[in-house]
Amino acid sequence: MTTNTAASTSTSTSTSTTMRAAAFTAYGPAEVLRPMDLPVPEPGPGEVRVRVRAAGVMPFDIGLREGVIRPPGAVFPVVPGNEFAGTVDAIGSGVMGFGPGDPVLGFSLLGSYAQYVVVPEENLVAKPDEMEWTVAGGFSGNAQGAHLALSAMRVGPGDTVLINAAAGGLGTLAVQLAKAWGATTVIGTASEANHDHLRALGAIPVTYGEGLEARVRAIAPQGVDAALDGAGAEALRASAAVSRHADRVITMVATEEARRLGLPELTGTRTAARLAEMTGLYAKGALRVHIRGEYALERAADAQREVERGHGRGKVVLTWAAP
């Protein structure tokens, strides 16, 4: 990481004023997301421009494209993407922790499906040397989501933890984080095709769907200490039934059902400190990330279709060539 005390913006060697991005000008199905040329964004005070090497594809991005999620200030053309990795290209005044050329990963609300993204300095951390670009580009969202959820569940040494949708991008990190934080037993739900994958991560796999409560109790007759749901209302009900502590059951998707059951709502925000803790665990070998799909920027619509199909193992990312 480079310390830079410049008072003014440091520009890149590129003189281009336009960039390629995947964006949409109307809400709708995946077809509305298409490649286009847009102006290169300029960093303001306290901001950093990153030349993106890879960006993750998240369910949030799909909700945005469909119009289900409409952040304040989002105007057409909208560039989705809320996690990315790349090299610092330019900095705004007051930026002290990063300089041009630094490899970083970070998070944003919008804008990562592009050659360049501008974010506040506090949205970035240094990319570990051990982390490949594809992994780094799709790391922040699920890593921070798992950290946020397991923190709320108060996962710690000796716990028995249930993770639903354990083979997905967030689920695989949640399994590994629970183990890293000392959980003795981690039970993960997934299709049978992903059971060996979960065993390799240190989880005891069970098949999701009808009868889940009985299958979990066969492994943990006294119930589980904490449970994370990433599958939906049915899995959440089963999780609540087998949990010994209702205040340690968290859902990432079935918020209405959680309210009906009187379960806590997950709150909190993404932070660089949270992300840095997770990248530190990755650098130590405590976390692994499986990339199940890698698409060029021009195929962003196909990448979102793959995420929409669900039940896949690991992450889907967009990548483009190094400058």
Side-chain angles (χ1 to χ4, degrees), residues 31-249:
E31 291 73 40
V32 302
L33 184 63
R34 58 187 179 84
M36 59 182 70
D37 292 320
L38 296 174
V40 174
E42 292 295 333
E47 293 182 331
V48 176
R49 185 170 73 204
V50 176
R51 181 157 188 154
V52 180
R53 292 282 301 274
V57 180
M58 300 283 288
F60 177 92
D61 307 334
I62 294 166
L64 181 74
R65 188 205 73 220
E66 293 174 337
V68 176
I69 301 171
R70 301 193 182 190
V75 296
F76 294 127
V78 175
V79 179
N82 64 87
E83 57 179 0
F84 61 89
T87 54
V88 173
D89 177 73
I91 60 172
S93 61
V95 173
M96 303 293 290
F98 299 97
D102 287 344
V104 295
L105 65 152
F107 54 98
S108 60
L109 188 62
L110 303 168
S112 299
Y113 291 14
Q115 287 180 299
Y116 296 93
V117 64
V118 168
V119 297
E121 179 181 12
E122 58 267 24
N123 285 25
L124 297 173
V125 302
K127 184 185 81 67
D129 292 339
E130 303 85 351
M131 186 177 279
E132 295 181 2
W133 284 112
T134 50
V135 171
F139 190 77
S140 178
N142 288 329
Q144 296 207 60
H147 190 289
L148 188 65
L150 267 61
S151 295
M153 293 155 57
R154 307 190 303 281
V155 171
D159 279 344
T160 296
V161 181
L162 172 63
I163 308 291
N164 288 285
L170 187 144
T172 55
L173 284 171
V175 166
Q176 295 172 86
L177 184 59
K179 298 292 287 186
W181 284 355
T184 302
T185 303
V186 178
I187 303 167
T189 73
S191 64
E192 290 188 12
N194 287 317
H195 282 194
D196 286 344
H197 172 64
L198 292 186
R199 290 188 187 96
L201 297 178
I204 301 172
V206 297
T207 304
Y208 57 80
E210 186 177 352
L212 176 59
E213 180 182 347
R215 290 190 291 276
V216 172
R217 288 198 181 279
I219 299 168
Q222 304 304 315
V224 302
D225 298 296
L228 174 62
D229 164 54
E234 181 182 359
L236 180 60
R237 289 191 292 270
S239 298
V242 300
S243 178
R244 298 168 55 210
H245 311 282
D247 64 338
R248 297 178 68 185
V249 180

Side-chain angles (χ1 to χ4, degrees), residues 248-273:
R248 297 178 68 185
V249 180
I250 292 293
T251 184
M252 306 298 289
V253 292
T255 53
E256 290 298 323
E257 186 67 10
R259 293 188 188 104
R260 190 187 72 79
L261 295 171
L263 301 175
E265 184 174 348
L266 182 62
T267 59
T269 59
R270 297 182 291 177
T271 67

